[in-house]
Amino acid sequence: MRTIRTRLRGAAALALLPLLALTACGSGDGDGTAAVGAQGSPAPTDDPVAAVHKVDSVAALLPADVREAGTLRVGSSVAGPPSAYYPNGTDKEPAGLDIDLADAVAKVLGVRLERQDASFETILPALGSGKYDVGTGNFGVTSERLKTIDFATYIDDGQGFAVKKGNTTLKKKVTDLTELCGLTIGTGAGTTFEATLTAHKGVCDKAGKKPYDVKVYSENGATLTALQQGRIDVIMSTINGLRHQAAQAASQTTFLGEFHRLDVGFAFKKGSPLTKAFQAAVNELIKDGAYARILTKWGTAASAIDTSRINPAEHR
């Protein structure tokens, strides 16, 4: 299914392309599945979305005006693999797990996507204003977000940490934020990682240790460069993204394991009638096997869910 994209990135983002290339490759997700191509090289060639077809009973869940228009506006954060990235440059179509799953859902629903690239932190507020009908960008389901956003889940990802290869300050999986005391952590703007680090910043003081510092970046490539140049000590980001990054030799990073699991879902403004339709479409993909094939393609089979849920409680 052909998608329409409106590019919102300017010259600053183009300057980061060499940096983003460092994060755009990985081997599998630790489960023996397919490798992901680097930016500037081909993405996996199999196309599990091609065989997906419209399911009338699921499409009937869409509001009548959406069925008549036949299009949905998607705010899409194209930040890096395996979720969404540019394997062949920003003048070509994006690829990744989020891209394939959104396209597959659209085929089940019998609609066309108008995909608009947007920075991660701007998408959820734009849903409330009506700019987008749905948001994608590996959005984790949190208690705070559930106050204003509805979710239809599609994978189970979460939070993890990575350091520069050879860094011995953190030698093992991070299980408690006090292990980060005295360090500088880089993370993405508007993310659950930033929220977690900000909310718990007092843990070091309570433990009688030097506080950790948080530096926020709008691009994954900038975060990685800061790590490589020693301006930060550790990255906090998605489990799947950090695994892919660490599997690429050029990134020179070591993944420190899972810290906190989160359901990830398509995002909608509160009360959107689209939520049930997307949930049903994801469950249709799970039932017919297309879902498993898409996750296998992107090396994320370990993040598979058994069924899509609407607004599940945040993992504790």
Side-chain angles (χ1 to χ4, degrees):
M1 177 174 295
R2 179 178 167 273
T3 59
I4 299 172
R5 293 186 291 122
T6 301
R7 293 185 179 84
L8 304 179
R9 287 180 168 81
L14 292 175
L16 283 170
L17 284 178
L19 308 180
L20 289 172
L22 293 173
T23 66
C25 180
S27 57
D29 199 30
D31 55 6
T33 48
V36 174
Q39 184 150 335
S41 66
T45 56
D46 52 320
D47 186 8
V49 180
V52 177
H53 57 82
K54 181 180 179 182
V55 179
D56 290 337
S57 61
V58 179
L61 296 174
L62 289 171
D65 60 334
V66 174
R67 295 199 304 272
E68 183 177 351
T71 60
L72 286 171
R73 298 161 300 163
V74 182
S76 178
S77 173
V78 184
S83 294
Y85 72 116
Y86 291 106
N88 301 303
T90 56
D91 60 333
K92 306 295 182 183
E93 292 297 314
L97 173 67
D98 282 358
I99 304 301
D100 278 356
L101 279 175
D103 286 347
V105 164
K107 291 187 75 172
V108 171
L109 296 174
V111 296
R112 181 170 56 93
L113 301 182
E114 294 180 351
R115 181 174 283 120
Q116 300 180 21
D117 293 0
S119 59
F120 180 91
E121 66 273 20
T122 66
I123 293 175
L124 297 186
L127 292 172
S129 71
K131 183 176 182 178
Y132 309 125
D133 299 308
V134 57
T136 64
N138 208 69
F139 288 108
V141 181
T142 67
S143 299
E144 187 63 28
R145 286 177 177 166
L146 285 171
K147 295 176 182 177
T148 56
I149 298 294
D150 283 339
F151 291 94
T153 61
Y154 61 86
I155 61 167
D156 180 42
D157 193 353
Q159 303 173 335
F161 294 94
V163 294
K164 186 176 180 180
K165 189 168 287 187
N167 184 323
T168 58
T169 303
L170 293 169
K171 299 179 182 179
K172 58 182 181 178
K173 175 179 177 179
V174 175
T175 58
D176 191 294
L177 292 180
T178 57
E179 297 168 41
L180 304 174
C181 296
L183 302 180
T184 301
I185 307 144
T187 195
T191 61
T192 63
F193 321 116
E194 181 186 12
T196 296
L197 293 169
T198 301
H200 295 89
K201 204 163 186 180
V203 297
C204 296
D205 187 51
K206 290 179 181 178
K209 298 182 179 181
K210 181 181 178 181
Y212 56 71
D213 186 31
V214 180
K215 292 188 180 297
V216 177
Y217 301 88
S218 295
E219 297 284 351
N220 286 348
T223 313
L224 177 60
T225 299
L227 183 73
Q228 292 171 327
Q229 294 179 349
R231 289 183 279 117
I232 60 175
D233 301 299
V234 59
I235 294 175
M236 188 178 189
S237 190
T238 67
I239 294 166
N240 287 333
L242 292 176
R243 279 177 171 158
H244 275 274
Q245 181 176 280
Q248 183 190 10
S251 76
Q252 289 295 299
T253 62
T254 298
F255 177 56
L256 294 182
E258 301 177 8
F259 177 70
H260 179 54
R261 278 274 174 177
L262 282 173
D263 289 304
V264 171
F266 294 106
F268 309 87
K269 70 178 180 180
K270 206 69 181 172
S272 171
L274 298 174
T275 311
K276 289 184 178 179
F278 269 69
Q279 178 199 28
V282 173
N283 284 333
E284 182 66 29
L285 295 170
I286 291 172
K287 183 175 72 174
D288 73 11
Y291 173 82
R293 291 189 290 274
I294 291 170
L295 265 63
T296 296
K297 172 183 176 180
W298 295 107
T300 56
S303 287
I305 58 174
D306 295 327
T307 187
S308 176
R309 297 187 293 163
I310 293 175
N311 297 341
E314 181 179 349
H315 285 303
R316 295 297 181 187

